[in-house]
Amino acid sequence: MMAATSSPLPRSRLARLGDGMARHAGAIQVMQWGMVVVYLALVSIPAFLPVPDDSRHIWDDLVLFAQFAFWGVWWPFVMVSMLVMGRAWCGVFCPEGTMTEWASRHGLGRAIPAWLRWRGWPFVAFVCTTVYGQMITVYEYPKAALLILGASTVMALAVGWIYGRGHRVWCRYLCPASGVFSLLSRLAPLHFQVDAQAWRAAPRQHAVQCAPLVDVRSQTGGGGCQMCGRCSGHRDAVTLAPRLPGIEVTHLPQREVSPWDIVLLLFGMMGVATGAFQWSGSPLFVALKQGVATVLIEHGIIAPMTTSLPWWILTNSDETGEVFSLLDGACLLAYMGGSALAFGLVGLGGLALAARLGGDVKALWRLGYGLIPQAAVGLVVGLSSMTLTQLGTEGIIFAWVPEARAALLALGMVWSGVLLWSLLPPRRRPLAWLAAMAGVLFHATAWALFFF
Ligand code: SF4
């Protein structure tokens, strides 16, 4: 925190950038509505176009272009942006955020009920969306993308319409990506810093309207802040400022520590998501499917291999002929469930042991935040695989990809290792650190085996 001053110091370039965001909120809104138009067009129009054949390209076919824009550019770069700029995507660019806030400004303005504030929603929403997306192959079929993204947008509008007054209740409590974004942004080297002394010393002003319902005065980091910049310069106490990447994790106030964050991190981001990224190229998945099929055939049970379901339950495309059988669907669920349990339990077990060795079992949840870099790397390498596959079909291949992947995996391990070391108490630290690293090493090994 900065020291209180009687006359404010000249503001740095970064601070002036934040102030500029507050001054030009109108221009930001225009851009946000531009994003809404582009998003709605890309999510809806391709669903009514024919599936392209092999002669079409990203640059001459809207279906392929939208696929590349959503899954090749949007998702991976949004994840990376969280690590670089905090949740600026949410506060400045996200079309759903813009729409839900608009709906909330014109809607019923009801109080937010207790059930909606439950901290487990981001985990539940993330897992459901990820699993359902794989079941209907959201990355390939525009109708599936319209169903998932469209349903999310409709829910964002409905929640905005019912709850809050100009707030982003959806983003704060329910958005399937909000928990992930909140965790990743805690590593960012930028944040809106609040000087508590300057705040107290400043004359009273109108309260700043923070759309995602952050208590600006007491906010200490990036988790909930969407970096919209509207509070920049408020009471001469709020400043866009640099910080050491990851320092928020090592200085997390107790009120911010949530077991649900760690459940999302271990079972969701490291577990379900890794299963979702890897199943289609996994020899384990093939072995599982063949093993179950063999047993079924031996018992004369053929239906699970010949039965399909409507496309909105399980992939079933007339145009490409791609159909998932009940067996495919069941193996998919088993693989992602197994992945969630394996990564989740190894990670949690390691953290619990580390906390015990350190002499404070309650430190388990706080320690969990040290695994954010490794989970982040998993998401980045997984999502960028899709980008590279899409570019590969266009003949664009990068020779340096294996080295880049290895470097990223190493970075995730080292960064998590450093954070875990700082989070552990001195008591039996080396031993506790080894235990805490179990989840990191297991996750990195799974990716290394998958790629190399
Ligand atoms: S605390 Fe709220 S108002 Fe301030 S930058 Fe973050 S999201 Fe915007």
Side-chain angles (χ1 to χ4, degrees):
M1 293 288 167
M2 296 178 295
T5 51
S6 49
S7 57
L9 292 169
R11 303 205 24 107
S12 71
R13 220 180 263 185
L14 202 55
R16 290 203 303 274
L17 173 68
D19 296 346
M21 290 170 75
R23 259 197 324 277
H24 300 294
I28 291 177
Q29 265 187 17
V30 171
M31 188 196 59
Q32 286 174 323
W33 283 102
M35 289 291 290
V36 170
V37 172
V38 172
Y39 166 76
L40 292 179
L42 287 183
V43 83
S44 56
I45 297 172
F48 302 98
L49 297 175
V51 172
D53 59 34
D54 290 346
S55 66
R56 309 308 297 261
H57 302 281
I58 290 168
W59 52 86
D60 65 12
D61 185 277
L62 188 62
V63 174
L64 293 176
F65 176 78
Q67 248 171 36
F68 184 63
F70 278 128
W71 314 117
V73 179
W74 178 41
W75 265 119
F77 283 95
V78 164
M79 293 295 168
V80 173
S81 79
M82 295 293 149
L83 301 168
V84 179
M85 307 186 291
R87 296 183 65 175
W89 160 263
C90 304
V92 181
F93 303 103
C94 177
E96 273 190 7
T98 304
M99 285 187 273
T100 197
E101 187 181 334
W102 172 83
S104 173
R105 205 168 287 140
H106 299 93
L108 305 177
R110 294 208 181 133
I112 306 164
W115 65 265
L116 204 148
R117 295 175 190 264
W118 181 51
R119 292 184 84 165
W121 284 127
F123 169 70
V124 173
F126 176 79
V127 169
C128 290
T129 315
T130 307
V131 170
Y132 187 44
Q134 294 301 311
M135 302 291 283
I136 62 173
T137 318
V138 67
Y139 306 114
E140 296 244 340
Y141 297 106
K143 281 197 186 88
L146 176 60
L147 178 60
I148 288 195
L149 296 175
S152 167
T153 302
V154 169
M155 284 192 278
L157 278 165
V159 168
W161 182 259
I162 299 170
Y163 302 112
R165 289 189 190 281
H167 293 120
R168 295 184 173 206
V169 177
W170 168 261
C171 312
R172 171 73 193 249
Y173 296 106
L174 297 174
C175 168
S178 68
V180 175
F181 291 169
S182 160
L183 284 167
L184 299 189
S185 65
R186 292 190 188 279
L187 298 179
L190 291 178
H191 71 146
F192 278 95
Q193 184 182 47
V194 181
D195 179 345
Q197 278 180 300
W199 185 289
R200 277 194 298 274
R204 271 189 179 279
Q205 291 176 17
H206 284 302
V208 69
Q209 164 89 335
C210 175
L213 298 145
V214 173
D215 177 3
V216 179
R217 178 180 181 165
S218 63
Q219 78 127 336
T220 48
C225 169
Q226 294 191 353
M227 305 289 282
C228 71
R230 289 178 213 172
C231 63
S232 187
H234 188 67
R235 298 175 79 124
D236 285 333
V238 187
T239 315
L240 180 60
R243 62 179 177 176
L244 217 57
I247 194 157
E248 183 180 336
V249 169
T250 50
H251 290 72
L252 206 59
Q254 192 53 37
R255 66 169 190 277
E256 298 255 338
V257 175
S258 162
W260 280 112
D261 276 350
I262 307 311
V263 169
L264 170 65
L265 185 79
L266 297 175
F267 291 86
M269 292 160 68
M270 293 172 100
V272 174
T274 305
F277 289 133
Q278 295 190 355
W279 71 268
S280 60
S282 162
L284 258 180
F285 179 81
V286 176
L288 171 71
K289 202 172 125 179
Q290 280 175 349
V292 178
T294 307
V295 173
L296 288 174
I297 291 167
E298 279 169 7
H299 288 80
I301 305 167
I302 305 299
M305 286 163 284
T306 53
T307 309
S308 58
L309 294 172
W311 69 266
W312 44 271
I313 302 178
L314 204 54
T315 301
N316 188 344
S317 168
D318 288 338
E319 288 148 308
T320 65
E322 188 183 13
V323 178
F324 285 4
S325 65
L326 278 186
L327 176 62
D328 290 320
C331 289
L332 200 53
L333 288 176
Y335 189 87
M336 286 189 281
S339 175
L341 285 179
F343 289 107
L345 293 178
V346 169
L348 203 59
L351 292 173
L353 181 59
R356 204 180 170 81
L357 284 167
D360 178 10
V361 278
K362 286 193 199 139
L364 153 71
W365 304 115
R366 174 181 291 280
L367 268 182
Y369 290 85
L371 271 69
I372 299 176
Q374 181 58 36
V377 163
L379 292 181
V380 171
V381 293
L383 289 167
S384 60
S385 290
M386 227 169 306
T387 317
L388 295 167
T389 306
Q390 286 171 324
L391 290 175
T393 59
E394 302 295 350
I396 303 167
I397 294 174
F398 303 103
W400 44 262
V401 168
E403 287 80 6
R405 281 175 171 155
L408 277 174
L409 289 174
L411 174 71
M413 282 193 291
V414 170
W415 197 353
S416 274
V418 171
L419 290 182
L420 285 169
W421 184 266
S422 337
L423 285 164
L424 282 163
R427 186 167 178 257
R428 288 193 279 194
R429 191 183 256 176
L431 214 54
W433 181 81
L434 278 178
M437 284 294 284
V440 175
L441 296 174
F442 184 38
H443 188 247
T445 306
W447 274 110
L449 286 176
F450 184 73
F451 284 137
F452 305 113

